[in-house]
Amino acid sequence: MELHQPAVEELDLTTILQALGDPVRLSIVRELAVTGEQVCGSMALSVSKSTRSHHFKTLREAGLTETRIEGTHRHISLRRDDVESRFPGLLDAVLQPQPAAL
Amino acid sequence: MELHQPAVEELDLTTILQALGDPVRLSIVRELAVTGEQVCGSMALSVSKSTRSHHFKTLREAGLTETRIEGTHRHISLRRDDVESRFPGLLDAVLQPQPAAL
């Protein structure tokens, strides 16, 4: 099974920003930045299975994450170096500790 | 007339990313970063007047821009310092010259 994953030179800023502009997807990206590769199903997310799949797909198609299939599991990891090489500083800015909302 | 413009401590990362994740809004932000304050109606955008108004509203409500009303004109400017103070490096990363898409 082939999953579409854009090449680094295909990464598009608007698409990346759209993918990051969702609280659940941003939390996935934050978690992957800390933990490294994870099995998709093992991530604790307070959304339904279909919503979860949609978010993983959005992140993958934007080029923020890589999905690796191994047997019946999907492993997801952050394409930090790829995103950094194309949009330097963007992920660092997004992943920095957030100021508390007032 | 009062326009809602969030205080700097109310700026929300997801909302900012959503606002930036649109090609027209991103082009408005880029232009304002170069030109400084502009009269809304004077910006050359290839969208209808209502779409344009929607984009200006989205940017203002996200806290990316400030709108100042003077007579019958609205003047729009980028809240670069406010966004920088809350999300350091984010606007610089977004505004840097983009690599050509292949």
Side-chain angles (χ1 to χ4, degrees):
Chain A
M1 179 179 174
E2 282 281 321
L3 293 176
H4 174 64
Q5 320 215 50
V8 60
E9 62 273 14
E10 292 174 318
L11 299 188
D12 173 69
L13 181 58
T14 308
T15 308
I16 294 264
L17 292 168
Q18 276 168 7
L20 291 170
D22 174 275
V24 174
R25 290 196 294 271
L26 196 53
S27 75
I28 295 171
V29 168
R30 282 188 197 291
E31 185 168 339
L32 291 174
V34 174
T35 62
E37 189 180 76
Q38 289 216 36
V39 174
C40 286
S42 73
M43 296 186 81
L45 301 170
S46 56
V47 293
S48 70
K49 195 172 168 184
S50 66
T51 303
R52 170 194 293 257
S53 296
H54 169 72
H55 286 317
F56 286 136
K57 180 167 183 260
T58 301
L59 289 170
R60 173 173 50 79
E61 292 186 343
L64 279 160
T65 58
E66 180 177 349
T67 301
R68 183 172 68 77
I69 299 180
E70 195 179 282
T72 57
H73 287 113
R74 290 181 174 217
H75 300 253
I76 183 174
S77 58
L78 192 58
R79 293 177 63 182
R80 191 156 186 166
D81 291 349
D82 287 347
V83 178
E84 175 64 21
S85 73
R86 189 134 169 96
F87 307 113
L90 180 63
L91 273 184
D92 283 346
V94 168
L95 292 172
Q96 67 197 323
Q98 289 307 296
L102 294 192
Chain B
M1 177 177 174
E2 282 281 320
L3 293 176
H4 174 65
Q5 322 215 45
V8 60
E9 63 272 15
E10 292 174 318
L11 301 187
D12 172 70
L13 181 58
T14 308
T15 308
I16 294 265
L17 292 168
Q18 277 169 8
L20 291 169
D22 175 274
V24 174
R25 290 197 294 271
L26 197 52
S27 74
I28 295 171
V29 168
R30 282 188 197 291
E31 184 168 340
L32 292 174
V34 174
T35 62
E37 188 180 76
Q38 289 216 36
V39 174
C40 286
S42 72
M43 296 186 81
L45 301 170
S46 56
V47 292
S48 71
K49 194 172 170 186
S50 66
T51 302
R52 169 194 293 257
S53 296
H54 169 73
H55 286 317
F56 286 136
K57 181 168 183 259
T58 301
L59 290 169
R60 174 173 49 78
E61 292 186 342
L64 279 160
T65 59
E66 180 177 347
T67 302
R68 184 172 68 79
I69 300 180
E70 196 179 282
T72 57
H73 287 113
R74 290 181 175 218
H75 300 253
I76 183 174
S77 57
L78 192 57
R79 293 177 62 181
R80 191 156 188 166
D81 291 347
D82 288 346
V83 178
E84 176 63 20
S85 73
R86 191 137 168 95
F87 307 113
L90 180 63
L91 274 184
D92 283 346
V94 168
L95 293 172
Q96 66 197 322
Q98 290 307 296
L102 293 192

